[in-house]
Amino acid sequence: MWIQSKCGIRIEEFTYFDFSKDYIIKSVDGILQRLKIDHLDSLLLHRPDALMESDQVAEAFDLLYKQGKVRDFGVSNQNPMMMELLKKDVKQPLAVNQLQLSAAFTPGFESGFHVNMEDNQAAMRDGSIFEYCKLHDVVIQAWSVLQFGYFKGNFVGNEKFQALNQVLDRLAIKYGVTSSTIAISWILRYPAKMQAVVGTTNPKHLREVSQAASFSLTRKEWYEIYLAAGNNLP
Ligand SMILES: NC(=O)c1ccc[n+]([C@@H]2O[C@H](COP(=O)([O-])OP(=O)(O)OC[C@H]3O[C@@H](n4cnc5c(N)ncnc54)[C@H](OP(=O)(O)O)[C@@H]3O)[C@@H](O)[C@H]2O)c1
């Protein structure tokens, strides 16, 4: 078992971000207390805090590491420059970045495919974070792997995604798995250190998720799913 948690988002009268030393330490102590455990395997800084001072984060990480309360560190929804900024002072490797990715949510790939073009897909909003993670061996933990938009629901079996579901269903028969498994195997096919974060306590769903690691989609199948989700290639 690997226990990971995140900190940095404060939900009070309104939501804001806090990567101060005191808040990081207080957050971890609260998590350990609530879960009745003595350490976290991994702690992620959730979203960027514009007021973040990397030396404060470094002091918090050093203390948590020395005290044995956190073994590994990472980030969530951060771009390459934000990670570089943290690395100015943080000594521990930033081992993980949690990023939104699914067959029906691929803005990071669109901008890559449309480099040097005039169309809207060429707009790069995340600073090539997928390539950066590959370059630095950062584990990409994809979130909302079966969802479209920003928490808009599951696209598997959803009539808004007929073309995509036709392809998923056909490949599900070919590989002897479910369409959800194919959707997750699409994530894992990306050649980086990929992990799919799936929220479930349903054993059937858990089995579907784990089966996605037992085979690999072909290159052509990966692109077919990408195009069936409504994308185009130059
Ligand atoms: N970094 C970020 O900004 C960010 C954002 C969102 C989430 N996350 C991470 O992702 C974790 C999970 O988030 P989430 O609960 O919103 O997860 P999710 O995986 O996006 O959605 C969970 C939903 O998907 C369904 N589901 C799971 N497996 C399925 C399958 N094989 N087939 C069909 N439906 C399936 C679940 O139904 P059942 O319950 O019936 O299985 C549940 O309704 C969070 O704890 C968080 O760590 C991170």
Side-chain angles (χ1 to χ4, degrees):
M1 195 190 293
W2 180 271
I3 303 180
Q4 173 176 283
S5 194
K6 303 192 284 251
C7 70
I9 298 187
R10 295 186 76 146
I11 302 172
E12 296 171 2
E13 302 94 84
F14 51 86
T15 297
Y16 65 105
F17 307 125
D18 187 346
F19 288 4
S20 63
K21 177 183 174 184
D22 288 351
Y23 188 69
I24 293 171
I25 291 169
K26 193 174 136 202
S27 300
V28 170
D29 285 337
I31 293 162
L32 297 181
Q33 214 170 20
R34 288 192 297 278
L35 291 178
K36 299 186 175 55
I37 53 176
D38 62 3
H39 75 273
L40 283 173
D41 295 299
S42 173
L43 175 76
L44 310 187
L45 292 179
H46 203 355
R47 299 227 167 245
D49 170 14
L51 305 184
M52 183 266 291
E53 288 160 272
S54 52
D55 56 338
Q56 279 207 22
V57 175
E59 282 178 29
F61 282 11
D62 282 345
L63 190 71
L64 292 167
Y65 186 76
K66 275 191 206 123
Q67 290 175 332
K69 290 180 179 173
V70 178
R71 293 185 177 169
D72 262 330
F73 298 89
V75 298
S76 170
N77 302 306
Q78 294 203 12
N79 69 24
M81 197 50 86
M82 290 161 183
M83 293 182 76
E84 287 297 313
L85 198 52
L86 274 170
K87 279 158 70 173
K88 176 170 172 269
D89 289 301
V90 167
K91 290 197 281 295
Q92 296 80 7
L94 297 174
V96 168
N97 194 354
Q98 240 179 52
L99 298 165
Q100 186 174 6
L101 178 68
S102 79
F105 186 91
T106 50
F109 294 170
E110 266 92 276
S111 55
F113 286 130
H114 291 257
V115 159
N116 203 27
M117 296 182 74
E118 287 181 325
D119 50 23
N120 287 338
Q121 288 109 308
M124 180 170 290
R125 300 186 182 89
D126 57 25
S128 290
I129 187 59
F130 287 92
E131 288 81 2
Y132 176 90
C133 289
K134 280 173 79 166
L135 187 63
H136 294 281
D137 288 322
V138 175
V139 173
I140 297 172
Q141 290 184 344
W143 57 268
S144 282
V145 290
L146 296 173
Q147 297 200 49
F148 61 98
Y150 191 62
F151 305 118
K152 289 207 171 134
N154 196 324
F155 57 84
V156 179
N158 185 328
E159 60 181 21
K160 281 190 201 150
F161 294 88
Q162 283 184 10
L164 175 58
N165 277 289
Q166 273 171 17
V167 178
L168 295 177
D169 293 349
R170 178 166 46 75
L171 294 175
I173 293 168
K174 173 184 166 183
Y175 287 98
V177 295
T178 67
S179 304
S180 296
T181 307
I182 298 292
I184 294 163
S185 72
W186 185 87
I187 302 271
L188 302 182
R189 179 64 177 81
Y190 185 68
K193 292 188 167 181
M194 298 304 290
Q195 293 177 353
V197 179
V198 188
T200 187
T201 51
N202 176 329
K204 177 180 166 282
H205 285 166
L206 203 52
R207 260 193 303 278
E208 287 180 348
V209 173
S210 60
Q211 277 176 345
S214 66
F215 63 96
S216 191
L217 294 173
T218 67
R219 185 178 296 267
K220 191 174 172 188
E221 287 163 351
W222 190 90
Y223 275 100
E224 191 182 7
I225 290 172
Y226 178 77
L227 291 169
N231 297 302
N232 61 66
L233 292 169

